[in-house]
Amino acid sequence: NWKPEDKSIDQATQEMIKKAEKENIETIWDRLEAQQPQCGYGQLGICCKNCFQGPCRIDPFGDGPKKGVCGATADTIVARNLARMIAAGAAAHSDHGRHVVIAMYEAIEHGAPYPIKDEKKLKSVAKKLGIAVDNREIKEIAKDVIKKAFEDFGKQDDSIINFADAYANDKRKQTWKDAGVAPRNIDREVVEIMHRTTMGVDHDTVSLIAQGIKASLGDGWGGSLIATEFQDILFGTPQIGKREANLGVLKEDYVNIVVHGHEPVLSEKIIEAAQDPELIELAKKYGAKGINAVGMCCTGLELLVRHGTPIAGNYLQQELAIVTGAVEAMVVDVQCIMPSLVDVARCFHTKIIDTSSLATFPGATHIKFDERKADEIAKEIVRTAVENFSNREKNKVQIPKGKSEAIGGFSVEATLEALGGSLQPLEDAIKSGTIRGIVGIVGCNNVKVKHNYNHITLTNELIKNDILIIGTGCWATACAEYGIFLPEYAKNAGDGLRTICESLGIPPALNMGSCVDCSRMLVLADLMARDLGVDISDLPLAGSATEAMTEKAVSIGTYFVASGIFTHLGTTPPVLGSQEVVKVLTENAFDIVGGAFYVEPDPVKAAKTLTEYIEKKRKALGI
Ligand code: NFS
Ligand code: SF4
């Protein structure tokens, strides 16, 4: 009895859920139902299978076992499981970062087709890292920047990683040093979590969480930041402009290609190939009007903020894009890609094309990517999609009308430019109280939450309170679909925020890009802290992952907290089985790193708490 209206707030999405139901196509909502009731031990985080004397479960209430076979307590087990989630999340973001550095390396050393598009950004990154730029060849500067990044993945001394050292202010770095959580090497912090959490090593909640924090900082101020900066250098720094979002960006008469996943090293090339005149001619030969390449999830956001490519949806819409019956190929790389796509695609002519050597989907077409042959491979993928157009079954096609326009591309650079060169106008507005503060919202849909409901409700509630929203990931796609990223949406904001938005011509919520671009929010917060001569934890800022789902979101939340930001989670991570862990995350963290977690499923209540927190911070600052 779970109605489409209760599964998503978005009409186009509801329409496709109905179509799937009618055609007996199984989607994620059906599978969640089939999983009920989900395991209570798992939900509380108190099961362990880190060795095969287990699996062990702790009885949280009754008089069952309080220790695993080896003697591990609920506290140990929960802390270990949490640390492993962070390790996985940090690994995913950072490996993505590594792939971009490698693409640039391959371009410079072996002629891979990735020319540097943004020399200005390259120079500014180099300067931050202390690399000389005057009178030097671009190639030489790039080589030095690549070297610094590779060091961050591999250096063996105990100094803080180069990018964190270059980008974070001294106050923050001192806090990390004092707490013993300054990351030394992106890979090493992840490996150390795996070591500490294997059978019989670290059993102390605080030191396990501290290592989790260290790895997360290696993500936020390391791997993710490197991904963002190198992508800007290679593909251009996002600039503000108008885009389109939702399933309605698919076009009936065109060859539709959806690029889905996370790494623009691939999707950039697909978008280029989709503009190839020969392939467009071929599409016409098959009876299509042309090629329509659109994005999905974070790789979609990467394209959207840089090139204005339309985005067909966020995480919970991936199966539904195929259900339209109008997708010739869904091209996937890594992360947040449902294995079920292959099954949904079997009901249509759609080809799922997997491209990453890291991710093979049984039943999909495998066309594996290689930087050095990027152009040829991208063309082959697009050609495969074009040739599939004639297999489309017209009677199965139903594309929802729903789509919305949205302004996006608020990189820190573009934001500064919009503000006239510095953050001062924004800081003045915050000081005067016209804007009360800023909340960064990130990440995910989670099928346990009505699709986009938390994102939209929390955003609406906060802008009413004159709080400017910045954000990334599936939140950004949700807002784009809802029309929040239009300057005229400012009429829904409080008077103060509305006035500022109107005078600048910006929406009340700013799309900063994909989830690795959460690093942009850190850079912005850091800049503001420097300007005002305070620590990030003193600023009237907060964070939220209101439909959090992935391990990556756990890593993001943790590095937000460790950067001094009070961070709301709208879904509950599996940690409630340990009061000690919960206390460290929600209370003690304040004293150690200046930020902490806060869990609240109701976005209206969460907005209230976040607003109160921001007001408290204002008071402490005397503004
Ligand atoms: Ni972020 Fe992107 Fe979406 Fe969540 Fe998945 S697509 S990296 S993890 S679900 S926001
Ligand atoms: Fe059980 Fe300990 Fe092995 Fe975990 S590590 S499965 S608690 S014996």
Side-chain angles (χ1 to χ4, degrees), residues 375-413:
D375 289 320
E376 291 99 288
I377 295 169
K379 278 185 196 164
E380 188 191 338
I381 291 171
V382 173
R383 183 171 301 111
T384 307
V386 169
E387 286 169 352
N388 196 24
F389 184 74
S390 50
N391 296 324
R392 192 193 283 186
E393 292 169 78
K394 286 227 165 74
N395 59 340
K396 282 193 178 174
V397 174
Q398 178 187 338
I399 302 173
K401 295 243 166 352
K403 64 177 174 182
S404 178
E405 290 201 309
I407 305 269
F410 288 88
S411 56
V412 174
E413 291 82 351

Tab-separated table of all heavy atoms in Angstrom, residues 375-413:
chain	number	residue	atom	x	y	z
A	375	ASP	N	39.423	9.277	-26.361
A	375	ASP	CA	38.549	9.761	-27.443
A	375	ASP	C	37.938	8.616	-28.238
A	375	ASP	O	36.735	8.600	-28.498
A	375	ASP	CB	39.327	10.701	-28.370
A	375	ASP	CG	39.620	12.035	-27.684
A	375	ASP	OD1	38.725	12.537	-26.971
A	375	ASP	OD2	40.735	12.562	-27.834
A	376	GLU	N	38.784	7.640	-28.615
A	376	GLU	CA	38.270	6.509	-29.404
A	376	GLU	C	37.214	5.743	-28.619
A	376	GLU	O	36.162	5.373	-29.155
A	376	GLU	CB	39.389	5.502	-29.757
A	376	GLU	CG	40.424	5.995	-30.730
A	376	GLU	CD	41.677	6.465	-30.017
A	376	GLU	OE1	41.599	7.544	-29.368
A	376	GLU	OE2	42.710	5.782	-30.091
A	377	ILE	N	37.517	5.500	-27.340
A	377	ILE	CA	36.589	4.707	-26.535
A	377	ILE	C	35.265	5.445	-26.362
A	377	ILE	O	34.183	4.854	-26.496
A	377	ILE	CB	37.218	4.349	-25.172
A	377	ILE	CG1	38.426	3.437	-25.413
A	377	ILE	CG2	36.204	3.672	-24.252
A	377	ILE	CD1	39.288	3.211	-24.204
A	378	ALA	N	35.350	6.752	-26.111
A	378	ALA	CA	34.114	7.537	-25.948
A	378	ALA	C	33.283	7.461	-27.223
A	378	ALA	O	32.058	7.310	-27.182
A	378	ALA	CB	34.450	8.974	-25.595
A	379	LYS	N	33.955	7.543	-28.369
A	379	LYS	CA	33.211	7.461	-29.640
A	379	LYS	C	32.581	6.092	-29.819
A	379	LYS	O	31.446	5.981	-30.289
A	379	LYS	CB	34.150	7.768	-30.818
A	379	LYS	CG	34.325	9.261	-31.035
A	379	LYS	CD	35.154	9.556	-32.266
A	379	LYS	CE	35.627	11.001	-32.215
A	379	LYS	NZ	36.719	11.267	-33.140
A	380	GLU	N	33.308	5.073	-29.428
A	380	GLU	CA	32.758	3.714	-29.547
A	380	GLU	C	31.495	3.572	-28.686
A	380	GLU	O	30.502	2.975	-29.109
A	380	GLU	CB	33.817	2.689	-29.106
A	380	GLU	CG	33.399	1.255	-29.372
A	380	GLU	CD	34.317	0.243	-28.693
A	380	GLU	OE1	35.481	0.586	-28.375
A	380	GLU	OE2	33.847	-0.892	-28.458
A	381	ILE	N	31.552	4.155	-27.493
A	381	ILE	CA	30.393	4.082	-26.592
A	381	ILE	C	29.203	4.810	-27.207
A	381	ILE	O	28.084	4.284	-27.243
A	381	ILE	CB	30.756	4.672	-25.203
A	381	ILE	CG1	31.749	3.745	-24.484
A	381	ILE	CG2	29.513	4.901	-24.358
A	381	ILE	CD1	32.340	4.314	-23.207
A	382	VAL	N	29.457	6.008	-27.711
A	382	VAL	CA	28.357	6.778	-28.297
A	382	VAL	C	27.817	6.066	-29.535
A	382	VAL	O	26.601	5.996	-29.746
A	382	VAL	CB	28.815	8.217	-28.627
A	382	VAL	CG1	27.737	8.970	-29.398
A	382	VAL	CG2	29.160	8.972	-27.343
A	383	ARG	N	28.722	5.496	-30.334
A	383	ARG	CA	28.269	4.770	-31.527
A	383	ARG	C	27.372	3.592	-31.122
A	383	ARG	O	26.323	3.345	-31.724
A	383	ARG	CB	29.460	4.276	-32.354
A	383	ARG	CG	29.026	3.575	-33.657
A	383	ARG	CD	30.166	3.255	-34.609
A	383	ARG	NE	30.905	4.438	-35.016
A	383	ARG	CZ	32.153	4.706	-34.659
A	383	ARG	NH1	32.817	3.858	-33.877
A	383	ARG	NH2	32.749	5.798	-35.069
A	384	THR	N	27.768	2.873	-30.075
A	384	THR	CA	26.961	1.755	-29.584
A	384	THR	C	25.553	2.229	-29.231
A	384	THR	O	24.558	1.558	-29.537
A	384	THR	CB	27.635	1.130	-28.341
A	384	THR	OG1	28.984	0.829	-28.680
A	384	THR	CG2	26.938	-0.128	-27.895
A	385	ALA	N	25.475	3.384	-28.590
A	385	ALA	CA	24.162	3.933	-28.226
A	385	ALA	C	23.366	4.287	-29.478
A	385	ALA	O	22.186	3.936	-29.594
A	385	ALA	CB	24.346	5.168	-27.344
A	386	VAL	N	24.016	4.941	-30.412
A	386	VAL	CA	23.331	5.377	-31.638
A	386	VAL	C	22.775	4.167	-32.385
A	386	VAL	O	21.622	4.153	-32.824
A	386	VAL	CB	24.291	6.191	-32.535
A	386	VAL	CG1	23.684	6.405	-33.919
A	386	VAL	CG2	24.628	7.526	-31.878
A	387	GLU	N	23.610	3.142	-32.492
A	387	GLU	CA	23.178	1.953	-33.237
A	387	GLU	C	22.017	1.236	-32.553
A	387	GLU	O	21.307	0.444	-33.168
A	387	GLU	CB	24.372	1.003	-33.440
A	387	GLU	CG	25.321	1.551	-34.492
A	387	GLU	CD	26.650	0.819	-34.553
A	387	GLU	OE1	26.900	-0.030	-33.676
A	387	GLU	OE2	27.442	1.136	-35.473
A	388	ASN	N	21.840	1.524	-31.280
A	388	ASN	CA	20.756	0.882	-30.527
A	388	ASN	C	19.408	1.588	-30.722
A	388	ASN	O	18.379	1.089	-30.295
A	388	ASN	CB	21.132	0.848	-29.037
A	388	ASN	CG	20.277	-0.110	-28.237
A	388	ASN	OD1	19.726	-1.060	-28.797
A	388	ASN	ND2	20.149	0.144	-26.942
A	389	PHE	N	19.449	2.762	-31.346
A	389	PHE	CA	18.210	3.556	-31.479
A	389	PHE	C	17.120	2.781	-32.225
A	389	PHE	O	15.937	2.845	-31.882
A	389	PHE	CB	18.515	4.871	-32.202
A	389	PHE	CG	17.329	5.791	-32.298
A	389	PHE	CD1	16.871	6.496	-31.184
A	389	PHE	CD2	16.653	5.967	-33.504
A	389	PHE	CE1	15.769	7.349	-31.268
A	389	PHE	CE2	15.547	6.814	-33.597
A	389	PHE	CZ	15.112	7.500	-32.479
A	390	SER	N	17.542	2.021	-33.245
A	390	SER	CA	16.532	1.317	-34.047
A	390	SER	C	15.850	0.201	-33.265
A	390	SER	O	14.803	-0.306	-33.663
A	390	SER	CB	17.180	0.752	-35.317
A	390	SER	OG	18.338	0.041	-34.966
A	391	ASN	N	16.429	-0.173	-32.135
A	391	ASN	CA	15.798	-1.212	-31.306
A	391	ASN	C	14.751	-0.649	-30.352
A	391	ASN	O	14.102	-1.402	-29.626
A	391	ASN	CB	16.856	-1.951	-30.485
A	391	ASN	CG	17.819	-2.703	-31.372
A	391	ASN	OD1	17.428	-3.243	-32.401
A	391	ASN	ND2	19.096	-2.714	-31.000
A	392	ARG	N	14.635	0.666	-30.314
A	392	ARG	CA	13.685	1.257	-29.374
A	392	ARG	C	12.256	0.860	-29.732
A	392	ARG	O	11.872	0.894	-30.891
A	392	ARG	CB	13.807	2.786	-29.398
A	392	ARG	CG	13.060	3.441	-28.245
A	392	ARG	CD	12.897	4.914	-28.416
A	392	ARG	NE	14.109	5.690	-28.118
A	392	ARG	CZ	14.102	7.031	-28.106
A	392	ARG	NH1	12.999	7.705	-28.392
A	392	ARG	NH2	15.216	7.680	-27.839
A	393	GLU	N	11.492	0.461	-28.703
A	393	GLU	CA	10.090	0.097	-28.945
A	393	GLU	C	9.228	1.306	-28.621
A	393	GLU	O	9.031	1.645	-27.465
A	393	GLU	CB	9.702	-1.095	-28.068
A	393	GLU	CG	10.402	-2.377	-28.471
A	393	GLU	CD	10.214	-3.472	-27.435
A	393	GLU	OE1	9.140	-4.077	-27.416
A	393	GLU	OE2	11.147	-3.692	-26.633
A	394	LYS	N	8.716	1.915	-29.679
A	394	LYS	CA	7.983	3.189	-29.540
A	394	LYS	C	6.814	3.087	-28.562
A	394	LYS	O	6.547	4.021	-27.809
A	394	LYS	CB	7.477	3.646	-30.910
A	394	LYS	CG	8.587	4.197	-31.805
A	394	LYS	CD	8.166	5.523	-32.440
A	394	LYS	CE	9.338	6.281	-33.037
A	394	LYS	NZ	9.854	5.732	-34.290
A	395	ASN	N	6.133	1.934	-28.566
A	395	ASN	CA	4.946	1.820	-27.706
A	395	ASN	C	5.295	1.729	-26.224
A	395	ASN	O	4.430	1.810	-25.368
A	395	ASN	CB	4.096	0.610	-28.139
A	395	ASN	CG	4.895	-0.672	-28.068
A	395	ASN	OD1	6.125	-0.652	-28.071
A	395	ASN	ND2	4.204	-1.799	-27.978
A	396	LYS	N	6.558	1.547	-25.944
A	396	LYS	CA	6.964	1.459	-24.527
A	396	LYS	C	7.479	2.803	-23.998
A	396	LYS	O	7.862	2.917	-22.840
A	396	LYS	CB	8.076	0.419	-24.380
A	396	LYS	CG	7.591	-1.007	-24.387
A	396	LYS	CD	8.721	-1.896	-23.924
A	396	LYS	CE	8.316	-3.351	-23.853
A	396	LYS	NZ	9.482	-4.188	-23.542
A	397	VAL	N	7.528	3.801	-24.885
A	397	VAL	CA	8.149	5.073	-24.491
A	397	VAL	C	7.150	5.991	-23.809
A	397	VAL	O	6.040	6.189	-24.284
A	397	VAL	CB	8.756	5.788	-25.719
A	397	VAL	CG1	9.279	7.171	-25.332
A	397	VAL	CG2	9.869	4.945	-26.326
A	398	GLN	N	7.566	6.512	-22.663
A	398	GLN	CA	6.764	7.529	-21.967
A	398	GLN	C	7.742	8.399	-21.188
A	398	GLN	O	8.311	7.975	-20.189
A	398	GLN	CB	5.758	6.843	-21.034
A	398	GLN	CG	4.907	7.809	-20.232
A	398	GLN	CD	4.056	7.084	-19.205
A	398	GLN	OE1	3.769	5.883	-19.332
A	398	GLN	NE2	3.670	7.778	-18.145
A	399	ILE	N	7.952	9.605	-21.703
A	399	ILE	CA	8.879	10.508	-21.011
A	399	ILE	C	8.055	11.533	-20.247
A	399	ILE	O	7.244	12.239	-20.835
A	399	ILE	CB	9.805	11.229	-22.015
A	399	ILE	CG1	10.596	10.208	-22.843
A	399	ILE	CG2	10.745	12.184	-21.294
A	399	ILE	CD1	11.413	10.820	-23.964
A	400	PRO	N	8.231	11.624	-18.933
A	400	PRO	CA	7.445	12.615	-18.188
A	400	PRO	C	7.827	14.032	-18.624
A	400	PRO	O	8.967	14.282	-19.012
A	400	PRO	CB	7.817	12.365	-16.728
A	400	PRO	CG	8.978	11.463	-16.725
A	400	PRO	CD	9.152	10.876	-18.089
A	401	LYS	N	6.848	14.917	-18.538
A	401	LYS	CA	7.111	16.296	-18.965
A	401	LYS	C	8.021	17.021	-17.975
A	401	LYS	O	8.667	17.992	-18.318
A	401	LYS	CB	5.784	17.060	-19.061
A	401	LYS	CG	4.856	16.539	-20.134
A	401	LYS	CD	4.606	17.590	-21.185
A	401	LYS	CE	3.962	17.061	-22.451
A	401	LYS	NZ	3.823	15.613	-22.613
A	402	GLY	N	8.005	16.566	-16.729
A	402	GLY	CA	8.638	17.323	-15.658
A	402	GLY	C	10.107	17.625	-15.874
A	402	GLY	O	10.917	16.729	-16.064
A	403	LYS	N	10.417	18.914	-15.918
A	403	LYS	CA	11.805	19.359	-15.814
A	403	LYS	C	11.779	20.790	-15.339
A	403	LYS	O	10.761	21.475	-15.456
A	403	LYS	CB	12.548	19.218	-17.144
A	403	LYS	CG	12.033	20.071	-18.268
A	403	LYS	CD	12.899	19.908	-19.504
A	403	LYS	CE	12.302	20.664	-20.693
A	403	LYS	NZ	13.065	20.492	-21.917
A	404	SER	N	12.890	21.219	-14.777
A	404	SER	CA	12.913	22.573	-14.254
A	404	SER	C	14.213	23.250	-14.648
A	404	SER	O	15.226	22.584	-14.881
A	404	SER	CB	12.790	22.516	-12.731
A	404	SER	OG	12.849	23.821	-12.219
A	405	GLU	N	14.162	24.558	-14.739
A	405	GLU	CA	15.409	25.287	-14.990
A	405	GLU	C	16.097	25.547	-13.662
A	405	GLU	O	15.464	25.583	-12.604
A	405	GLU	CB	15.096	26.594	-15.700
A	405	GLU	CG	14.628	26.369	-17.120
A	405	GLU	CD	14.801	27.618	-17.960
A	405	GLU	OE1	14.342	28.682	-17.513
A	405	GLU	OE2	15.399	27.519	-19.048
A	406	ALA	N	17.396	25.722	-13.725
A	406	ALA	CA	18.160	25.895	-12.492
A	406	ALA	C	19.473	26.606	-12.791
A	406	ALA	O	20.135	26.296	-13.779
A	406	ALA	CB	18.452	24.525	-11.884
A	407	ILE	N	19.816	27.542	-11.915
A	407	ILE	CA	21.121	28.184	-12.028
A	407	ILE	C	22.114	27.335	-11.236
A	407	ILE	O	21.821	26.907	-10.133
A	407	ILE	CB	21.103	29.591	-11.402
A	407	ILE	CG1	19.994	30.430	-12.022
A	407	ILE	CG2	22.448	30.268	-11.479
A	407	ILE	CD1	20.395	31.225	-13.199
A	408	GLY	N	23.259	27.096	-11.818
A	408	GLY	CA	24.253	26.311	-11.090
A	408	GLY	C	25.650	26.801	-11.397
A	408	GLY	O	25.828	27.737	-12.188
A	409	GLY	N	26.623	26.156	-10.799
A	409	GLY	CA	28.013	26.483	-11.109
A	409	GLY	C	28.677	27.419	-10.125
A	409	GLY	O	29.580	28.174	-10.496
A	410	PHE	N	28.225	27.366	-8.855
A	410	PHE	CA	28.803	28.266	-7.858
A	410	PHE	C	30.082	27.688	-7.262
A	410	PHE	O	30.130	27.300	-6.103
A	410	PHE	CB	27.772	28.585	-6.769
A	410	PHE	CG	26.675	29.492	-7.244
A	410	PHE	CD1	25.526	28.979	-7.828
A	410	PHE	CD2	26.805	30.875	-7.144
A	410	PHE	CE1	24.515	29.811	-8.298
A	410	PHE	CE2	25.802	31.717	-7.614
A	410	PHE	CZ	24.653	31.179	-8.191
A	411	SER	N	31.113	27.624	-8.090
A	411	SER	CA	32.430	27.328	-7.541
A	411	SER	C	32.806	28.501	-6.643
A	411	SER	O	32.187	29.576	-6.729
A	411	SER	CB	33.445	27.182	-8.671
A	411	SER	OG	33.450	28.360	-9.465
A	412	VAL	N	33.801	28.318	-5.796
A	412	VAL	CA	34.235	29.435	-4.948
A	412	VAL	C	34.651	30.601	-5.838
A	412	VAL	O	34.306	31.770	-5.582
A	412	VAL	CB	35.386	28.993	-4.022
A	412	VAL	CG1	35.935	30.179	-3.244
A	412	VAL	CG2	34.906	27.912	-3.068
A	413	GLU	N	35.352	30.279	-6.929
A	413	GLU	CA	35.837	31.322	-7.832
A	413	GLU	C	34.672	32.101	-8.436
A	413	GLU	O	34.682	33.339	-8.458
A	413	GLU	CB	36.668	30.690	-8.959
A	413	GLU	CG	38.010	30.093	-8.522
A	413	GLU	CD	37.898	28.674	-7.934
A	413	GLU	OE1	36.765	28.200	-7.695
A	413	GLU	OE2	38.947	28.048	-7.707
